[in-house]
Amino acid sequence: MSSDLHAASFGNAAAAYERGRPPYPAQAVAWAVPSQARRVLDLGAGTGKLTRILLAAGFEVDAVEPSPEMRDQLAVSAGQASIFEGTGEHVPLPDASVDAVVCAQAWHWVDPARAVPEMARVLRPGGTLSLIWNIRDHTEPWVAALDDVLHRHTRQEIDTAPPIGGAFGEPEHTEFRWRHTLNRAELLDMVTSRSYVILLSETDRRTLLDGVLELADTYGLGDEFDLPYVTRCTRARLR
């Protein structure tokens, strides 16, 4: 199944994405965005999970998102941002217009050969490109078991320390471990907002969700529990 089809699928689950996906830890955002930055591009902003954190930190934010359903959610959750339709390969902003670009949970959907020059175009000299991924922490036994359930259908391997190159200097990498509190309904929303789950047949999706609930019972997860994450970050400065 094509990556374009997977990437385009999220609009069908925008509400579940907003309910079930975790935010990003403040320390990761502080590492990703220089404190002296004023205007930040949130690329692939989705429903505004990162956008809201950037706004709360006092940045002016341009949020670029290709999905109209995601942009509708974004307008509700982060209406103070300037919201645009666009992609990593085509950003509707002027040259040298932002101090930093942050792409959270979305860089694996872009074509780097086209997106890297586009990031260099919109950044001011010395600006920073940062990439962020929330990855479930598989060292926790129940999380490893959850991934086994999810990957009965497909496994998407993501390079969370990708090369950047082009006009950018050598990338730096770091990670942050943290825990996100959610309930069972939000766990199911997290699952149903995955691109490969969105594209399953209704029968296969129901079977998968039943397996997730069975796992929650097996591991004694209560009505509310913590899901551990590792947030992996890459940043590179425009030379």
Side-chain angles (χ1 to χ4, degrees):
M1 196 169 291
S2 76
S3 61
D4 287 346
L5 184 58
H6 279 271
S9 68
F10 290 107
N12 298 326
Y17 193 105
E18 172 61 21
R19 293 190 301 265
R21 292 297 185 101
Y24 298 92
Q27 62 266 40
V29 178
W31 187 88
V33 184
S35 59
Q36 67 270 25
R38 291 179 291 108
R39 191 161 205 94
V40 179
L41 166 59
D42 182 2
L43 179 67
T47 64
K49 294 284 183 176
L50 177 65
T51 319
R52 297 194 287 271
I53 300 172
L54 294 171
L55 289 168
F59 298 113
E60 301 172 40
V61 181
D62 294 318
V64 170
E65 168 56 44
S67 163
E69 295 89 351
M70 290 286 203
R71 290 197 305 275
D72 288 344
Q73 291 278 340
L74 183 57
V76 173
S77 69
Q80 308 99 304
S82 299
I83 300 171
F84 301 93
E85 178 182 4
T87 65
E89 298 82 4
H90 179 71
V91 175
L93 295 178
D95 295 356
S97 57
V98 298
D99 302 300
V101 176
V102 187
C103 183
Q105 219 73 22
W107 190 254
H108 51 287
W109 297 122
V110 310
D111 173 7
R114 296 164 57 204
V116 169
E118 185 70 341
M119 299 305 99
R121 181 187 69 78
V122 299
L123 277 168
R124 295 177 179 131
T128 301
L129 168 62
S130 294
L131 316 176
I132 299 176
W133 283 273
N134 280 329
I135 305 297
R136 293 183 298 279
D137 187 351
H138 307 135
T139 62
E140 185 103 1
W142 80 262
V143 178
L146 173 65
D147 272 29
D148 286 343
V149 172
L150 297 183
H151 294 148
R152 288 171 189 167
H153 294 277
T154 186
R155 179 179 292 272
Q156 181 187 16
E157 299 294 343
I158 296 174
D159 181 1
T160 56
I164 294 177
F168 291 89
E170 192 68 22
E172 302 172 81
H173 308 285
T174 194
E175 63 181 36
F176 301 91
R177 292 180 178 273
W178 63 291
R179 304 178 78 86
H180 175 54
T181 301
L182 70 169
N183 58 40
R184 288 193 178 206
E186 290 164 341
L187 176 64
L188 294 181
D189 283 327
M190 184 275 288
V191 172
T192 56
S193 71
R194 319 306 300 188
S195 61
Y196 54 85
V197 177
I198 296 168
L199 296 173
L200 290 177
S201 69
E202 183 59 37
T203 299
D204 286 344
R205 189 182 302 111
R206 186 68 261 164
T207 300
L208 175 59
L209 295 179
D210 287 344
V212 171
L213 291 175
E214 181 180 345
L215 178 142
D217 289 338
T218 299
Y219 281 86
L221 300 182
D223 292 335
E224 196 170 77
F225 50 91
D226 287 345
L227 175 53
Y229 280 95
V230 181
T231 298
R232 295 178 181 156
C233 307
T234 294
R235 70 183 178 194
R237 179 163 294 187
L238 186 64
R239 290 186 289 223

